[in-house]
Amino acid sequence: MPAPTTRLAPGDPRRLRELFSRTGALACEHAIPSVVVGLAGREGDLLVPELIEYIESALRMEDAIFRMTRERAVLFVSDVDRARAEQIVARLVRDFCERFAAADQPAVELGYYEVRAGSREVSAKEVLPVVFGAERN
């Protein structure tokens, strides 16, 4: 008898693991590249949570976002390479700034990790230091 499936809350760490697993499966089993994007703002910046909500509402059905904190999120953008993911995120930030007038633009740092078609599975332990840390490229 299969185990009952439960719907995971948006901030549940098991959901993050699920998203990494899905990204790895797309790359490995279906030869679909993806890009994991780390988005981090200054703690207490009131615009960053609004930006994250805006990006979440603008993503395609096949893409996903995981909020780690109010000012930090991980985006999963599928069927694109890094250059295209950078263009998508830049456009979303630009659109946000145009639609929601504010004295300053949201100050966010972006990190990218490309999961190429045919890659093996990826893990949070491997990706998060790259998109949020000193290994950022």
Side-chain angles (χ1 to χ4, degrees), residues 20-68:
F20 277 114
S21 178
R22 186 179 113 212
T23 300
L26 285 172
C28 184
E29 298 168 20
H30 303 289
I32 296 174
S34 298
V35 177
V36 180
V37 183
L39 183 146
R42 291 187 315 260
E43 189 173 332
D45 186 331
L46 299 177
L47 280 179
V48 175
E50 299 293 330
L51 173 63
I52 292 170
E53 283 182 27
Y54 178 78
I55 290 172
E56 185 173 21
S57 72
L59 289 176
R60 300 172 301 174
M61 291 291 292
E62 60 270 19
D63 300 331
I65 191 166
F66 180 81
R67 279 181 179 253
M68 300 182 77

Side-chain angles (χ1 to χ4, degrees), residues 35-126:
V35 177
V36 180
V37 183
L39 183 146
R42 291 187 315 260
E43 189 173 332
D45 186 331
L46 299 177
L47 280 179
V48 175
E50 299 293 330
L51 173 63
I52 292 170
E53 283 182 27
Y54 178 78
I55 290 172
E56 185 173 21
S57 72
L59 289 176
R60 300 172 301 174
M61 291 291 292
E62 60 270 19
D63 300 331
I65 191 166
F66 180 81
R67 279 181 179 253
M68 300 182 77
T69 66
R70 283 181 43 85
E71 299 87 5
R72 188 175 283 217
V74 180
L75 286 79
F76 295 83
V77 188
S78 61
D79 204 13
V80 298
D81 61 10
R82 179 182 171 146
R84 182 70 182 125
E86 288 176 355
Q87 292 171 350
I88 291 168
V89 173
R91 179 184 49 82
L92 291 172
V93 171
R94 189 175 54 251
D95 289 351
F96 173 82
C97 293
E98 289 174 2
R99 292 174 194 226
F100 304 98
D104 294 316
Q105 286 190 355
V108 292
E109 291 185 28
L110 302 168
Y112 296 87
Y113 185 97
E114 187 171 359
V115 182
R116 292 188 173 91
S119 296
R120 60 177 172 66
E121 294 213 14
V122 294
S123 69
K125 185 177 181 180
E126 174 185 349

